[in-house]
Amino acid sequence: MRQVFHLDTSQVPTHWYNILADLPVEVPAPRSAPRANARTNGTVPGVDGEGGDADVEANGHGTPVRPQLPLSMYRQSIGRTRHVEIPGPVREEYQRWRPTPLYRASRLERALDTPAHIYFKYEGTSPSGSHKINTALAQAYYYAQSGVKQMVTGTGAGQWGTALSMACLPYGMECTVFMVRSSYRQKPYRGTLMRLNGARVIESPSMETEVGRAALRADPDSPGSLGIANAEAIEYASGRKDARFSIGSGENHVLLHQTVIGEEALLQMEKAGEFPDVVIGAMGAGSNFAGIAFPFYREAMQDHPGTRFLAVEPDACPKMTRGSYLMDHTDYSGVTPMVKMYTLGHTFTAYHIHAGGLRYHGAAPIVSAMYHEGLVEATSYSQSRVFESGMAFARAEGLVPAPESAHAVAAAIDEAVRAREEGRERVILFGLSGHGLLDLSAYEMHLAGETVDVVPTDEQIQASLRPLIESS
Ligand SMILES: *Cc1c(COP(=O)(O)O)cnc(C)c1O
């Protein structure tokens, strides 16, 4: 029997947790910071292209881009309020599947013959199959409130596009998704899922934008990249008055929205009568890691010093373990404002790996600042270790982890094995950020012995970092 720690629907958190209220470290401001429009006087008026939005303007790259945030969400990204109320309609949407279950992985413990207690918080029960819908719903709500009619985004592996397409439905908004061509073709069901939710899915590079046309002129067979897809989405949205580009991770407000995960997990661990010695999450740009870790960080500061927080990245995209803490752009085309983060350089192109959601070049500014101060740790794993861990977990627990989530599984297994070797109990909590049922082709390739472990060389990393170091 597997122990599960359920909560009632009424126990869905009423507030998100803003770690900026408690961090003992400074998170440097973006260069070319977003500015709130003074004329709006604190209200969120209808969209007039300028009015209620906090414009984020490009710096020095010619075309101005404006991934405008509604004022309400812009405030969340800089605010110091510790507990931010979740709007009623968003909480109601959460209640359709939240609280998500927290399980004890007893069979995995037995398979590893470990004295450690392993717990996992499972976000794969969400309608989109991962944690990303927690912020997608919040963002769709705030954009709809400010008069936006269409959400536009880029998606790599497809998890974010799926989440946003679903999140637009309750608010009657249109959704346009530029999906990286290689994923579009390798994972056709992701595209199907988005389309059946009413989204328009465009293979990127496309002929719909200048960025896309240029990429296709340069290489008609371009497999695309998340950088190009996002650049297309930004261009597409900025040419339409009532459309906005939305981003699924990294930003302060996105991390905030994901803290529902950790707030629930806190209550569930309390039911289990334990507090974790280590909290583990897979690291893309940091939203699911922050989501589970930050509320535990708050409690640990008070009552549990010595609690560890471990972010897990792929060997192929080691921004924290091998990158540098520098000002860098969050997008490949270099049109967004610069933020201080652990980065491999915005022009770094990670090898293709199945955990597409972890191929992002940088780590969220908040997580980066914490890592810089030693408040969180980071580690990295090869693809084969990740798939082996994902399969071991599936056989023990009957759930197939998304390849991204399997990174957290690998680290949890290592912690449990170390507990065995050291002959002591240890309480391990990890975030299982999504299910892998639409990623079976990746598992199939691994079973066929086709997994390739690729690691960038120091020279490759230096090549994309050098321009940043020279200009800083
Ligand atoms: C996108 C994704 C991640 C990584 O993104 P973060 O923003 O770092 O959480 C991890 N797991 C799954 C299932 C994802 O879809």
Side-chain angles (χ1 to χ4, degrees):
M1 195 199 71
R2 180 166 61 189
Q3 270 182 293
V4 55
F5 301 91
H6 275 308
L7 299 174
D8 299 341
T9 307
S10 66
Q11 288 172 291
V12 167
T14 53
H15 291 75
W16 294 301
Y17 169 54
N18 177 11
I19 199 171
L20 290 174
D22 291 323
L23 268 193
V25 297
E26 189 67 22
V27 179
R31 193 176 290 162
S32 167
R35 62 179 164 75
N37 192 317
R39 280 180 299 145
T40 60
N41 206 17
T43 60
V44 183
V47 168
D48 60 8
E50 298 283 344
D53 300 319
D55 299 358
V56 181
E57 291 183 17
N59 41 355
H61 279 79
T63 24
V65 292
R66 298 182 159 184
Q68 297 157 319
L69 294 180
L71 206 53
S72 44
M73 222 158 60
Y74 169 69
R75 286 215 197 83
Q76 293 180 349
S77 72
I78 56 161
R80 290 290 184 279
T81 311
R82 179 170 290 111
H83 299 286
V84 177
E85 188 167 2
I86 301 173
V90 175
R91 186 163 177 268
E92 267 171 41
E93 291 298 325
Y94 284 174
Q95 283 173 322
R96 293 172 66 194
W97 80 95
R98 305 202 72 86
T100 58
L102 181 135
Y103 293 108
R104 176 144 174 211
S106 323
R107 289 256 177 99
L108 181 65
E109 290 171 16
R110 221 170 306 147
L112 297 170
D113 188 25
T114 177
H117 296 182
I118 308 175
Y119 295 87
F120 63 99
K121 174 73 166 162
Y122 186 39
E123 289 295 302
T125 61
S126 88
S128 69
S130 84
H131 66 289
K132 288 202 172 74
I133 196 164
N134 296 327
T135 185
L137 277 167
Q139 293 193 37
Y141 169 80
Y142 287 119
Y143 280 107
Q145 287 286 299
S146 73
V148 170
K149 302 269 187 283
Q150 182 183 172
M151 303 298 297
V152 187
T153 198
T155 195
Q159 295 267 21
W160 172 240
T162 306
L164 195 65
S165 70
M166 290 183 175
C168 283
L169 292 175
Y171 308 110
M173 281 194 287
E174 284 175 50
C175 182
T176 302
V177 180
F178 287 86
M179 183 167 182
V180 176
R181 184 192 261 175
S182 57
S183 310
Y184 187 90
R185 296 190 175 174
Q186 270 168 21
K187 299 186 178 191
Y189 294 140
R190 278 278 164 209
T192 307
L193 201 46
M194 290 178 235
R195 274 191 297 271
L196 86 78
N197 284 305
R200 183 162 167 245
V201 187
I202 303 168
E203 196 175 308
S204 167
S206 77
M207 293 299 287
E208 306 233 359
T209 66
E210 196 37 59
V211 172
R213 287 189 291 271
L216 288 173
R217 270 196 304 275
D219 177 7
D221 299 319
S222 165
S225 70
L226 185 57
I228 295 171
N230 273 335
E232 285 205 87
I234 290 171
E235 181 186 327
Y236 184 93
S238 58
R240 287 168 174 74
K241 214 159 128 46
D242 55 5
R244 287 292 179 277
F245 169 72
S246 146
I247 196 150
S249 187
E251 309 282 323
N252 295 1
H253 59 271
V254 178
L255 273 50
L256 175 83
H257 300 156
Q258 293 295 353
T259 57
V260 286
I261 303 172
E263 293 291 4
E264 287 174 7
L266 266 177
L267 297 179
Q268 289 163 314
M269 289 301 296
E270 211 171 284
K271 278 192 153 185
E274 307 213 72
F275 195 89
D277 296 304
V278 58
V279 181
I280 301 170
M283 185 74 194
S287 75
N288 85 89
F289 169 70
I292 192 164
F294 287 2
F296 283 93
Y297 173 85
R298 178 187 69 220
E299 300 304 313
M301 272 192 316
Q302 299 289 327
D303 299 322
H304 303 275
T307 307
R308 295 163 52 225
F309 301 92
L310 179 59
V312 190
E313 47 187 31
D315 279 354
C317 195
K319 56 217 134 208
M320 290 170 85
T321 50
R322 294 176 64 202
S324 295
Y325 193 39
L326 288 170
M327 297 297 288
D328 192 9
H329 297 285
T330 54
D331 72 309
Y332 178 85
S333 34
V335 292
T336 51
M338 296 179 105
V339 295
K340 190 147 189 192
M341 60 180 177
Y342 275 88
T343 179
L344 296 163
H346 63 275
T347 58
F348 180 84
T349 311
Y351 292 104
H352 178 79
I353 51 170
H354 293 294
L358 305 186
R359 284 180 74 220
Y360 182 65
H361 67 275
I366 296 179
V367 177
S368 292
M370 293 175 77
Y371 181 59
H372 197 63
E373 287 296 316
L375 303 176
V376 304
E377 302 169 24
T379 185
S380 79
Y381 283 94
S382 70
Q383 272 210 104
S384 29
R385 252 314 296 284
V386 165
F387 278 107
E388 289 303 313
S389 306
M391 291 197 308
F393 181 84
R395 285 173 192 176
E397 298 297 331
L399 297 168
V400 183
E404 290 86 359
S405 320
H407 286 70
V409 176
I413 288 177
D414 273 1
E415 291 285 334
V417 168
R418 203 168 312 133
R420 179 182 71 209
E421 288 165 358
E422 293 169 1
R424 61 190 182 91
E425 274 195 11
R426 177 176 301 175
V427 180
I428 299 165
L429 169 64
F430 71 93
L432 194 69
S433 48
H435 71 66
L437 292 177
L438 289 178
D439 301 281
L440 291 182
S441 62
Y443 279 95
E444 185 57 43
M445 283 179 74
H446 184 71
L447 287 165
E450 289 167 14
T451 299
V452 186
D453 287 327
V454 280
V455 181
T457 63
D458 288 341
E459 289 70 34
Q460 281 170 319
I461 293 175
Q462 282 315 310
S464 52
L465 282 177
R466 198 171 302 119
L468 300 174
I469 295 167
E470 281 166 3
S471 70
S472 69

